[in-house]
Amino acid sequence: MVALCVIVLLGWYFLLGKLYGQIQYQPADGFTDQPWKEAGVTNILLIGSDSRENVEGGRSDAMILLTVSNKTKAIQMTSLLRDIYVEIPGHEGNRLNAAYSFGGPELLMETINQNFDISVTRYVLVNFEAFANLVDAVGGVDLFLTGQELEYVNAYLVEYNQITGRPEGTDYLETSKEGEVHLNGPQALAYSRNRYIGTDFGRTERQRKVLSAVIRKAPAALVRNPSNLIKGLLPNLTTNLTKEECFFLSLQAGKFLCWEIGQGSVPLDGTYQPADIRGMSVLQVDFEENKKYLSDIMHGR
C-alpha cells in the first residue's frame, strides 16, 4: 500500500509538472524567498489585467484576494476596489490599481501588504482571453441578469468582437428576456467588466459571482473535458507560484471542495468616502476597520 501511494503521488507530480509547464512562471522580485503560507493561511492575489496579453503596463481591471485559511476552514474571495487611495512605495499616493501600472504584480502586492497590514506573496495574473476560455471550459455559467445588465453585456461585446476579429453582433443577448441567463465565455467577460451599474462595487460583485459559478463547475469539467480547461486556461496564466506549491495545493483540493466559499469587498460599507485628490476621483478609506475585517477572514478572530 505504501509503495502504491508513492507511485500514485509520483505519477501525479509528473502529470502536474507537464501541466505546470504550460503556465508562464514569472518570479516577483522581493517575494521569491518569502513564505507562501503563514500560520495556516495562504493568500493569493488574483489579478485580472485589461491587457490582451499578460504583460505589465496595463491596468489591473480586477484585484481579488483569495484567502485559504486552515483556521476558519473556509475560502474567501475579497475584491479590492481599484479606486482606493493608497500610499504606493516609491511613488506618491494614487489609486490602488495604479500600483500595477507602475510596477506590475510585485509593486501591487507590496502596496497591498503595506496599506492593509497583511501578507500576500503569491499572485496569478489572468488576461481577458484566459477568463473567457475558463468560463467556456466549464460549459458556461447560469446567472440572473436584469434587462439593463443584458444591454451592457452587448455593449461590452462590441469591443471584444472587434479585438478578436469576430463578426459584429456575435453572442449578443436578447435584452427583453430578463432572468436567469446562460453565459458563455465572452458574454461572462462582458458581464464582469460592467462598471456602470452599481459603480465599481457592482462590477466586483459580478466578477465574484462568475468566479463562484466557475469554481462550482470546475471539478466536473475537469473530469468531463480536461483538454479544453487545460488548453484554454493554462497558457494564459502568469504566476510566481512554484510547481511544488501548486502540487501541495492540488493535494488538498478534495478538502477545499468541502469548505465554505465566502465573498466580499474592501472597503466595507461605512468605511470610506468619495474624494477628489489631484483631479482623481478616489475612495478615502478607514484602513483600521478594513484591516480588522481582513484579519478576521484569515484568522477567525
Side-chain angles (χ1 to χ4, degrees):
M1 289 297 295
V2 172
L4 180 60
C5 288
V6 170
I7 291 172
V8 170
L9 286 174
L10 288 175
W12 175 238
Y13 184 79
F14 175 77
L15 176 60
L16 187 72
K18 299 275 286 185
L19 299 176
Y20 183 82
Q22 299 184 48
I23 299 173
Q24 301 178 58
Y25 172 73
Q26 182 64 51
D29 294 340
F31 292 96
T32 303
D33 297 328
Q34 293 191 25
W36 68 294
K37 182 177 183 178
E38 287 188 353
V41 177
T42 301
N43 285 319
I44 300 172
L45 182 62
L46 306 180
I47 307 170
S49 171
D50 71 350
S51 299
R52 276 58 183 179
E53 296 179 354
N54 286 345
V55 295
E56 296 179 12
R59 295 170 298 174
S60 48
D61 206 46
M63 294 165 285
I64 298 177
L65 183 66
L66 181 67
T67 300
V68 181
S69 175
N70 288 326
K71 290 190 173 183
T72 63
K73 299 295 189 292
I75 298 172
Q76 177 78 12
M77 293 185 293
T78 306
S79 297
L80 306 176
L81 269 69
R82 63 181 189 173
D83 289 337
I84 297 173
Y85 189 78
V86 294
E87 296 300 322
I88 301 178
H91 301 266
E92 61 183 342
N94 209 316
R95 295 187 181 101
L96 179 59
N97 72 334
Y100 179 79
S101 299
F102 295 154
E106 297 92 338
L107 185 57
L108 180 56
M109 289 192 293
E110 186 179 353
T111 300
I112 292 170
N113 291 344
Q114 176 177 297
N115 286 270
F116 291 100
D117 195 24
I118 62 174
S119 177
V120 52
T121 63
R122 300 298 187 268
Y123 75 90
V124 175
L125 174 63
V126 183
N127 63 23
F128 281 179
E129 185 177 359
F131 188 93
N133 288 343
L134 176 60
V135 174
D136 280 335
V138 301
V141 295
D142 298 304
L143 297 173
F144 183 92
L145 271 68
T146 66
Q148 192 178 20
E149 285 177 324
L150 290 168
E151 292 176 1
Y152 274 107
V153 167
N154 292 347
Y156 275 97
L157 281 171
V158 172
E159 180 194 22
Y160 183 85
N161 289 337
Q162 291 174 344
I163 292 170
T164 56
R166 304 194 314 168
E168 181 181 352
T170 301
D171 285 333
Y172 280 15
L173 296 172
E174 174 55 59
T175 57
S176 64
K177 296 183 179 180
E178 175 178 305
E180 187 169 281
V181 180
H182 183 78
L183 303 176
N184 64 18
Q187 292 165 341
L189 173 62
Y191 169 76
S192 300
R193 296 189 64 206
N194 174 16
R195 66 177 183 273
Y196 296 103
I197 302 176
T199 67
D200 207 31
F201 286 92
R203 180 176 67 161
T204 57
E205 182 179 7
R206 284 185 280 274
Q207 291 167 352
R208 296 192 304 273
K209 283 182 179 179
V210 172
L211 282 177
S212 295
V214 167
I215 289 172
R216 288 193 295 269
K217 297 185 70 174
L222 190 58
V223 173
R224 184 179 63 252
N225 196 5
S227 61
N228 280 3
L229 194 59
I230 292 167
K231 293 178 182 178
L233 177 64
L234 298 187
N236 294 296
L237 295 182
T238 301
T239 185
N240 68 332
L241 282 163
T242 66
K243 179 173 68 174
E244 288 71 25
E245 290 164 354
C246 290
F247 176 69
F248 183 79
L249 284 171
S250 72
L251 294 180
Q252 302 181 77
K255 176 177 68 175
F256 294 157
L257 291 175
C258 299
W259 285 7
E260 179 184 351
I261 299 177
Q263 55 176 292
S265 63
V266 164
L268 300 172
D269 287 344
T271 67
Y272 69 92
Q273 59 182 2
D276 185 284
I277 300 179
R278 302 196 313 276
M280 297 183 295
S281 296
V282 299
L283 301 176
Q284 286 191 312
V285 174
D286 180 340
F287 282 99
E288 293 307 314
E289 285 296 319
N290 288 281
K291 287 177 184 178
K292 182 179 181 301
Y293 170 71
L294 292 174
S295 178
D296 290 345
I297 287 172
M298 297 172 196
H299 306 291
R301 292 195 292 266

